Amino acid sequence: ATDWLALVIYMYTSTLEAAHPNLHSRPYVDDITSVVTTGDALEMVEVVTGMIDHTKAFAADLAFQPNITKSRRFATLPAVRVALTALPGPPVAPAFMDLGIVQTPTPCAAPSLADKRLHSGLDKFERTATLAVPFKRRILYCAASGVPAALYGVAAQPISALRLAALQAGALRAMWRSSTRSASELIMALYVSWRANPMAVSIVKPCLAMRNCILTGGITLESVVWAYHCDTVAGPFRALQDALSRIGAILTPDGRSIRCPQGEIPWLTWPLAHVRDALLGRLQDRSLQQMAIRRPALAPVVKGIDRYLTLQYERSDAPEVRKAALRVLQTGGSIVQKVAAKWIPGGGRCPFCLLAIEDVFHLLWACPRWAMIRQQGLCTYTRAAIEDTVDTFATLTGIVLADPTLVAAQS
C-alpha cells in the first residue's frame, strides 16, 4: 500500500512542478510540502492558487477526495499572507507541522503545536514510570522514547524554559523511583546519559546541527553570526541562542568559538565528539554550581567527580536493592532522624541508640547499633585509613572527588 501511495504522490508532485517552474515539491508518502520561490508577490499568490486548482483536478481524475481542512497555505511575506487570506482555499497558517517539526514562516511562536509534542513526551514518561524494570533500563527507555518524542526537531525550533522544566521533571520521575530528597542535578550527572536528559539534548542538538550546517555549506558563518545577534522568537537561530544561554555561553564575534566561563570551545575545528563532550561538561558544571547553592553539604562535587571510582559498584554483582541504596546516599537522599524530625514528632535523636543526633555521619560511622555490620564491611580497614586514601566527603556520600592534579593535566 505504501509503494502504491508513493507512486500516486510522485505523479502529483511531478505534474505540479511541471506546471509551475518556480515551484519545488518534496515527495513524501503522506506529508507533501510545496514551496514557490520568486521575488514577485503577485506570482506567489497565482502559483499558490494554481496549486489548489491542480490538487482538486488531480483528485477528481483519480476519484479521490482532497482533505482541504487539513491542508494549509503559508507565506513569509505579509502582503502575500493578506492576499491569500482574501482568496478561497485552505487556511493561511502562521505555523504548521511538517514531518513532525514545527515550521514558523511568520516571526511568531507556535505554543499549541509545541504543547502537542510536549504532551506526547510526557505521556511516554508516565508510561515508563509504571514499568517494573531496573533503573538503568528505565534510563534507556527514556532515551529511546520519551526524550526523542518530546524534543524531535529541537534544533529547528526552540523550546521554552517552562516546557523544558516540565520535561526535565517528567524524565526524572520516569527514571528515579527512590528518595525524592535526592539532588536531581547529581542524579543526572552521575547516572543518566545525555540522550535521556532533556536539558542536555536541548543544548547539544541545536549546536551540533548549526555546526553541521556551516561545515557543509548550508549557510555561511557570517550569516550565522548576524542572525545570532538578531532578536528572534522562533527558528533554528533562536534555538541556538537558547542552547548557549542555558550554559552561560555566547558566540564569539567571529563565530568560530563558543565562549563559556570555563573557556572557549572551537566548535568548528574540534571533532564533533569533543564539541559534544565540552558542551555537556559546561552543562554539568553549571547545574552542579546551582545545586551547591541549594545543598551546601554536597558543594564539594563542584570540584569534579572521579566517575570511575564513584560508580565502580555499578559494575559489581551486588543486588539492585543495594545499588539503589548507595545511589540514594550519593545523591543526598538519605532520610535520617535529623531530617525526619522536621515532619514527625520525636526530635532528631537516633532512634536506635538514643545517644546522639542521627545524621549521615552517625548512621554510617558512629551508631553502636550497626557496629557489627560496619566491622564486617570494613574488614581490615579503618575509617581513618579510608579518609587518608580519599577524603571525609567520600566517607559520607560515597562520591570520590576528582584528583586536582589529573584534572589540571586533562585541561
Side-chain angles (χ1 to χ4, degrees), residues 186-200:
L186 266 179
I187 296 173
M188 293 295 182
L190 285 174
Y191 317 117
V192 180
S193 64
W194 74 272
R195 294 185 184 275
N197 185 344
M199 178 66 76

Side-chain angles (χ1 to χ4, degrees), residues 23-188:
L23 185 143
H24 173 71
S25 189
R26 184 197 61 211
Y28 196 71
V29 175
D30 60 353
D31 196 353
I32 303 99
T33 301
S34 300
V35 179
V36 55
T37 53
T38 177
D40 188 349
L42 181 60
E43 182 182 359
M44 295 181 189
V45 176
E46 291 177 350
V47 172
V48 173
T49 304
M51 291 165 56
I52 298 172
D53 296 336
H54 178 88
T55 302
K56 293 179 179 179
F58 184 84
D61 290 342
L62 296 180
F64 287 168
Q65 180 64 39
N67 194 337
I68 301 299
T69 58
K70 291 188 66 176
S71 302
R72 294 290 184 271
R73 294 177 294 175
F74 63 91
T76 57
L77 296 179
V80 177
R81 286 197 298 271
V82 172
L84 291 177
T85 305
L87 296 175
V92 179
F96 59 95
M97 296 287 285
D98 183 25
L99 295 181
I101 299 177
V102 179
Q103 302 291 339
T104 52
T106 59
C108 65
S112 59
L113 298 178
D115 287 342
K116 181 180 179 181
R117 183 157 293 284
L118 170 68
H119 293 312
S120 173
L122 291 178
D123 289 344
K124 288 179 170 56
F125 286 146
E126 291 296 332
R127 290 197 290 269
T128 302
T130 62
L131 299 177
V133 294
F135 175 57
K136 288 187 175 181
R137 186 67 61 85
R138 289 195 299 276
I139 294 176
L140 293 177
Y141 289 165
C142 288
S145 178
V147 173
L151 295 177
Y152 181 72
V154 71
Q157 286 295 335
I159 180 171
S160 66
L162 185 61
R163 293 183 178 87
L164 187 58
L167 285 177
Q168 196 78 357
L172 185 64
R173 285 195 304 270
M175 295 181 288
W176 187 255
R177 299 174 67 178
S178 300
S179 173
T180 57
R181 193 171 180 270
S182 296
S184 59
E185 297 88 349
L186 266 179
I187 296 173
M188 293 295 182

Side-chain angles (χ1 to χ4, degrees), residues 37 76 140 201 239 305 307 316 329 334 353 393:
T37 53
T76 57
L140 293 177
V201 172
I305 301 173
R307 297 180 57 86
S316 69
L329 179 68
S334 300
C353 67
F393 182 74

